Amino acid sequence: MKAFIRNTLIATVFIILGGVIAVQVGVVDTGSDPSDGLSGMVTVKGSVAARDLGLSKADVKRINRAVGSHKNMFTKVNVFLDAREDKDPSEPTTILVMAMVLETDGNCEVRSWSRKVSRDKLISQMEVYMKKAAREYEEFKKFPDVQQNFKCLYI
């Protein structure tokens, strides 16, 4: 009887361990939203949340890669999104209003002007803006006397 209980306990432990490993590796879909995988540096604010966008795993990877490539320059990426229409924000043709604020480790932040962008172009626009903002901020840092007078750069 003791052997049966011990074997049952061991089998139960292995089944639970196998389930945990399957979820971690991605064999089993937990139903979690891919936007849960966004870098901790990214915050989405406004009337449209990240989960409303229907981000694919590829979208999340692109955003995280763009943020990661500028992590030495920007410490936080705030994305402000509002729906322009009364449509589902995850639909490719839905028009969103996007603005970004890129915080730096200095006393300055880089802000974008609000712009209309369709949902299917949102990720590429974020990537383009981060590259442009990084170039402009790098140029701005070359002039320390100018830095003293500005707390915000609009691009």
Side-chain angles (χ1 to χ4, degrees):
M1 189 68 166
K2 287 182 182 179
F4 175 75
I5 293 173
R6 187 186 79 208
N7 289 343
T8 303
L9 216 56
I10 290 172
T12 303
V13 168
F14 277 113
I15 290 171
I16 291 171
L17 186 61
V20 169
I21 291 171
V23 168
Q24 291 295 322
V25 172
V27 174
V28 177
D29 183 15
T30 60
S32 65
D33 190 354
S35 65
D36 291 345
L38 283 176
S39 165
M41 292 174 58
V42 178
T43 304
V44 178
K45 300 176 181 182
S47 65
V48 178
R51 69 181 172 281
D52 300 334
L53 295 172
L55 295 174
S56 67
K57 289 181 181 181
D59 291 336
V60 171
K61 284 181 182 178
R62 285 176 62 190
I63 293 168
N64 289 344
R65 191 176 319 117
V67 170
S69 67
H70 301 295
K71 68 181 176 189
N72 294 332
M73 187 167 298
F74 303 120
T75 58
K76 188 83 173 154
V77 175
N78 298 303
V79 182
F80 295 86
L81 292 173
D82 290 307
R84 209 39 204 162
E85 308 161 339
D86 197 19
K87 287 186 179 178
D88 179 2
S90 66
E91 291 295 318
T93 58
T94 298
I95 302 298
L96 304 169
V97 177
M98 176 192 79
M100 292 179 69
V101 177
L102 307 173
E103 297 177 18
T104 68
D105 56 0
N107 293 328
C108 185
E109 60 186 21
V110 182
R111 292 179 171 255
S112 73
W113 299 104
S114 294
R115 63 191 72 198
K116 293 178 190 175
V117 60
S118 61
R119 166 57 187 96
D120 61 342
K121 303 288 185 205
L122 177 66
I123 309 304
S124 60
Q125 286 296 306
M126 289 173 64
E127 291 171 320
V128 165
Y129 177 73
M130 280 189 262
K131 284 180 189 174
K132 183 177 181 181
R135 280 192 315 267
E136 294 294 328
Y137 184 65
E138 195 64 44
E139 200 56 38
F140 175 76
K141 289 190 327 181
K142 291 179 182 177
F143 304 98
D145 54 325
V146 174
Q147 284 184 33
Q148 296 173 24
N149 298 319
F150 290 93
K151 300 292 180 204
C152 183
L153 250 172
Y154 275 94
I155 299 177

